[in-house]
Amino acid sequence: MDFVEAGGAKIPAIGLGTWELRGRTCARVVEQALKFGYRHIDTAQIYENEREVGEGLRASGVKRDDVFVTTKVWTTHFAPNDLERSTKESLARLRMTEVDLLLLHWPNPQVPLAETLGALAHAKQMGLARHIGVSNFTVALLTEAVAACPEPLVCDQVEYHPYLDQTKVREACAKSRMALVAYSPIAKGAVKKDQTLSRIGRAHGKSPAQICLRWLVQQNVSAIPRTSRIERLSENIDIFDFELSDGEMAEIFRLGTASGRLTNFAFGAKWD
Ligand SMILES: NC(=O)c1ccc[n+]([C@@H]2O[C@H](COP(=O)([O-])OP(=O)(O)OC[C@H]3O[C@@H](n4cnc5c(N)ncnc54)[C@H](OP(=O)(O)O)[C@@H]3O)[C@@H](O)[C@H]2O)c1
């Protein structure tokens, strides 16, 4: 497993996304993922599966300290008292004393950013999170957040896959020495039919999803693909035994456009 390092955090390059994984399926997939060698799990308050993520982790037999666990504070909990209370509730559901990474899930213009960042930093200072960061922040918001936050922000978790050009956010993260964590990294499954990725995959004996994930980690990006299928868990992590050439990387970069986004921005805010 490779790692993406930023602000003292060592983030495993591949993690398991858990959005829409619920109940026993979620606990089972998390348990199996850890047995297959995953060491990074991504959840969020709004996914309503923190309890099952914790259960899966304990059932796997893998030590808590060997797993990088991220959760995200939902936007209705951005007032300072709410952030602290809801983070403690997340930890109670996970049955953990701290998470490795605590993120603001989306920007929320209804609460002053500096107040929320102060509370996020305080959560870290209280030992509720080892590291803190943001998600779905544009370059402008990221710049504002980095300047206002009393503690280092280690990542911006954003949508990123071959169909979406994220050059600006990548450069902004690099400038602030932050990691980029890619969500919807296989474009919600769409990459499996991609002709370019299939052709490159044939040359390496890999699937289009594996080529896509390899392309991300070769950029020093951490990717968190989700699957509910046990057989795909091993496929999505089996990407560390080959390398894409500069030409192959460039070819995949050419698939990206500014309008390739699959996610709508919440709260009527704008991406740029
Ligand atoms: N911060 C945010 O606002 C935010 C937003 C969205 C997502 N996320 C995080 O990022 C994670 C991943 O994003 P995502 O769930 O939107 O999409 P994704 O990981 O790009 O795609 C998931 C879809 O791809 C399919 N799939 C998985 N592995 C595959 C493979 N090897 N070949 C073909 N299809 C495959 C899955 O179906 P099967 O289950 O049938 O395998 C599922 O339908 C989420 O689960 C969540 O943790 C964060």
Side-chain angles (χ1 to χ4, degrees):
M1 174 65 75
D2 292 354
F3 295 87
V4 177
E5 299 193 36
K10 221 177 145 194
I11 308 174
I14 290 289
L16 174 72
T18 66
W19 178 50
E20 287 185 331
L21 297 181
R22 295 282 172 89
R24 287 180 59 83
T25 304
C26 179
R28 197 174 57 97
V29 171
V30 169
E31 176 186 349
Q32 288 302 322
L34 292 167
K35 286 182 171 165
F36 281 134
Y38 284 70
R39 290 294 179 267
H40 172 184
I41 310 287
D42 181 83
T43 181
Q45 293 173 346
I46 199 76
Y47 300 170
E48 295 183 350
N49 64 8
E50 290 171 311
R51 201 176 303 279
E52 290 78 10
V53 165
E55 276 170 28
L57 192 146
R58 288 187 298 280
S60 73
V62 175
K63 281 199 225 126
R64 162 67 189 98
D65 280 352
D66 292 342
V67 186
F68 192 96
V69 178
T70 300
T71 197
K72 314 183 197 82
V73 181
W74 190 240
T75 53
T76 47
H77 304 141
F78 277 12
N81 288 343
D82 292 340
L83 191 143
E84 181 178 327
R85 179 190 43 76
S86 77
T87 302
K88 287 179 175 166
E89 287 168 1
S90 285
L91 293 172
R93 286 188 292 268
L94 287 158
R95 286 178 53 193
M96 291 173 190
T97 51
E98 63 187 355
V99 284
D100 296 273
L101 182 57
L102 184 67
L103 303 180
L104 301 181
H105 203 145
W106 285 86
N108 180 359
Q110 285 152 18
V111 184
L113 183 58
E115 272 181 31
T116 308
L117 289 168
L120 188 70
H122 188 56
K124 181 184 167 189
Q125 288 154 359
M126 289 170 72
L128 306 181
R130 290 189 178 128
H131 304 283
I132 55 172
V134 295
S135 178
N136 294 299
F137 272 42
T138 60
V139 171
L141 274 172
L142 196 60
T143 310
E144 193 184 331
V146 168
C149 193
E151 292 277 343
L153 293 166
V154 304
C155 86
D156 193 2
Q157 183 184 122
V158 295
E159 180 178 338
Y160 188 30
H161 46 70
Y163 308 125
L164 179 61
D165 180 352
Q166 285 285 34
T167 308
K168 287 182 191 163
V169 178
R170 272 197 304 129
E171 287 175 355
C173 284
K175 197 171 150 205
S176 297
R177 297 172 194 269
M178 290 168 66
L180 192 157
V181 176
Y183 76 67
S184 303
I186 49 176
K188 298 187 186 283
V191 300
K192 68 173 177 245
K193 294 193 185 128
D194 190 278
Q195 289 184 2
T196 304
L197 298 174
S198 299
R199 177 170 39 74
I200 296 173
R202 279 194 295 279
H204 292 278
K206 295 286 177 181
S207 70
Q210 289 172 318
I211 297 299
C212 170
L213 293 167
R214 180 73 211 177
W215 173 77
L216 288 166
V217 304
Q218 268 186 233
Q219 298 170 54
N220 202 31
V221 161
S222 172
I224 48 171
R226 163 186 51 113
T227 182
S228 54
R229 300 199 207 177
I230 302 299
E231 67 275 15
R232 282 180 170 165
L233 283 173
S234 42
E235 177 184 340
N236 292 348
I237 204 171
D238 183 17
I239 62 157
F240 297 103
D241 59 351
F242 75 107
E243 205 166 318
L244 297 171
S245 68
D246 290 348
E248 289 167 333
M249 289 292 288
E251 201 179 347
I252 302 169
F253 271 114
R254 284 197 289 275
L255 301 174
T257 66
S259 59
R261 202 179 298 281
L262 304 170
T263 315
N264 291 319
F265 207 100
F267 310 106
K270 293 209 167 68
W271 285 111
D272 293 310

